[in-house]
Amino acid sequence: MRYPLLVLSAFTVCASFAGDLCPTTSDNASFVPPAPYPKAGNVRGQAFYVGSPNLWVLVHPVPWHAGPLWPDGYREKIVWYSQGYDAKADPRPAISISGRRLDGDAPPLVVTGANGTWQDVDFIMSGVNFPTKGCWEITGKFKGAEVKFVVPVE
């Protein structure tokens, strides 16, 4: 019984070490959206926003845990906001989303789509697939605004 525990401990150290080498976007760079948009958590370890009123993104605590492996990679959803965006008038927004792995070779991020969505406020829900685990920089561009953030996918 000690051997599996030893292997698990070694894996945890390696995964933690890899995360330390990734220049992860921190909540120190967080953005407070204008009213009436929801505020993200102000407690360390909760999701936070990065960006400007023209385009911001909800960044979840790191590391991002890779979900099931689909044919195009590890699937994740990313939520984007833009002040004044109207999802009913623009249900298929012309947001450009790209991503590249910073710590090794990998195919680019696969974007499966972006849709206008609304609850209390309008936002853009996007689907992406990470072809591999690693340190990823994700870039969103919408109506002349650009936001970048970095997360480890483990």
Side-chain angles (χ1 to χ4, degrees):
M1 292 301 273
R2 291 183 187 177
Y3 182 70
L5 182 60
L6 180 61
V7 172
L8 179 62
S9 295
F11 176 78
T12 301
V13 169
C14 291
S16 176
F17 181 69
D20 291 344
L21 297 177
C22 185
T24 304
T25 301
S26 73
D27 56 3
N28 293 336
S30 64
F31 165 74
V32 177
Y37 295 93
K39 302 213 180 307
N42 292 329
V43 177
R44 188 171 265 337
Q46 291 185 351
F48 59 94
Y49 295 119
V50 175
S52 71
N54 295 324
L55 181 64
W56 68 96
V57 63
L58 181 64
V59 179
H60 292 280
V62 297
W64 285 14
H65 296 287
L69 181 60
W70 292 67
D72 288 334
Y74 300 98
R75 187 156 298 167
E76 185 62 66
K77 292 182 179 178
I78 302 175
V79 180
W80 307 84
Y81 295 86
S82 179
Q83 187 172 17
Y85 170 68
D86 183 347
K88 295 166 202 76
D90 187 11
R92 299 272 185 202
I95 187 169
S96 169
I97 303 165
S98 61
R100 64 187 181 105
R101 186 170 169 191
L102 300 178
D103 62 345
D105 292 333
L109 184 74
V110 176
V111 179
T112 59
N115 298 303
T117 308
W118 61 92
Q119 288 178 339
D120 295 332
V121 296
D122 294 14
F123 59 95
I124 301 167
M125 178 63 75
S126 65
V128 300
N129 289 328
F130 295 94
T132 64
K133 295 177 182 179
C135 181
W136 285 87
E137 177 186 68
I138 299 148
T139 303
K141 296 179 183 178
F142 186 65
K143 296 185 176 182
E146 179 177 294
V147 176
K148 292 183 183 219
F149 65 99
V150 176
V151 293
V153 177
E154 299 178 355

